[in-house]
Amino acid sequence: MTTVTQDLLALDEDAQNLLFREARTANAFTDEPISDEQIEAIFDLVKWAPTAMNSQPLRVVIVRSEEAKARLVPLMAEGNQAKVAAAPAVALLAADIDFHEEMPKLFPHFPGARDMFDADEASRASSAELNAGLQIGYAIIGIRAAGLAAGPMTGMDADAISKEFFPDGRHRVLVAINMGKPANNAWYDRLPRLEQDEVVETL
């Protein structure tokens, strides 16, 4: 990054590196536990993610106990099972298909918001997954901001995990994120990134 580019960013270089350039998907963690206070601090950042009509469909289960991990590990892809078993905590991030029930509180200036979503469950489910995805991006940044490493995974039986940890049947697990302090052997080699001229077009 050039000095000119760096000067255009509001975050100082240490913060830029912590959240972006030096942040990596962790595959191994120390056994240092994740506290309730750390989880609260992370959520205090994540809750500010933008969502359509302030819908906020993300719902989260934090798996920390050995009993809960024993339920989760067999439902992960084989290559992710050992990582989940060893992580201090695993966040299961799901989209609440019935997020519209909260709309009178979250979008009060439009009294018809709840009923608008209530009429079409397929459209509501699509909106829930898209907007929860925006919140998931914030969750990864929030974990990094707490000085922890994140290991997001989609290799899992998402339907089975949804049924196991959200038994009401109204939540769809999208991502599981291992989180904790990275171990010495936490990282694979950095893979290439596309450059701006391969991704961005200005009209």
Side-chain angles (χ1 to χ4, degrees):
M1 183 184 65
T2 66
T3 302
V4 172
T5 302
Q6 183 177 328
D7 289 344
L8 295 175
L9 299 173
L11 294 175
D12 66 33
E13 187 173 7
D14 287 343
Q16 295 167 29
N17 291 335
L18 175 70
L19 299 179
F20 299 99
R21 293 188 201 89
E22 294 177 2
R24 306 281 296 279
T25 294
N27 295 286
F29 300 88
T30 72
D31 57 5
E32 183 177 333
I34 304 297
S35 68
D36 291 340
E37 292 76 15
Q38 286 172 302
I39 292 169
E40 182 178 357
I42 292 166
F43 181 73
D44 192 55
L45 297 177
V46 176
K47 69 183 180 183
W48 302 113
T51 54
M53 298 176 69
N54 200 35
S55 54
Q56 301 176 50
L58 183 69
R59 305 293 181 265
V60 183
V61 168
I62 304 294
V63 176
R64 286 189 297 191
S65 71
E66 292 306 314
E67 294 79 7
K69 283 188 183 180
R71 294 160 54 199
L72 176 60
V73 168
L75 305 179
M76 300 299 298
E78 184 175 353
N80 289 328
Q81 290 180 0
K83 292 187 285 188
V84 167
V90 186
L92 302 178
L93 285 76
D96 181 359
I97 306 306
D98 287 340
F99 70 87
H100 65 304
E101 298 294 352
E102 301 289 343
M103 294 304 288
K105 172 183 177 180
L106 299 177
F107 211 61
H109 54 284
F110 179 19
R114 182 208 170 277
D115 292 341
M116 180 186 74
F117 282 109
D118 189 57
D120 186 348
E121 180 167 335
S123 176
R124 189 170 76 243
S126 177
S127 179
E129 293 185 10
L130 173 62
N131 286 285
L134 294 173
Q135 294 179 279
I136 288 168
Y138 265 60
I140 294 169
I141 299 298
I143 291 166
R144 293 171 176 176
L148 303 174
M153 301 165 290
T154 56
M156 58 187 175
D157 187 337
D159 289 341
I161 293 173
S162 298
K163 292 174 183 176
E164 180 67 26
F165 290 91
F166 296 92
D168 63 5
R170 307 304 299 167
H171 296 74
R172 298 180 184 176
V173 172
L174 304 177
V175 177
I177 303 179
N178 289 332
M179 54 185 184
K181 292 288 187 180
N184 291 332
N185 60 341
W187 322 115
Y188 296 142
D189 291 340
R190 172 76 82 183
L191 292 173
R193 293 303 194 263
L194 294 174
E195 297 299 332
Q196 179 178 329
D197 60 3
E198 298 176 282
V199 176
V200 180
E201 179 181 5
T202 302
L203 301 177

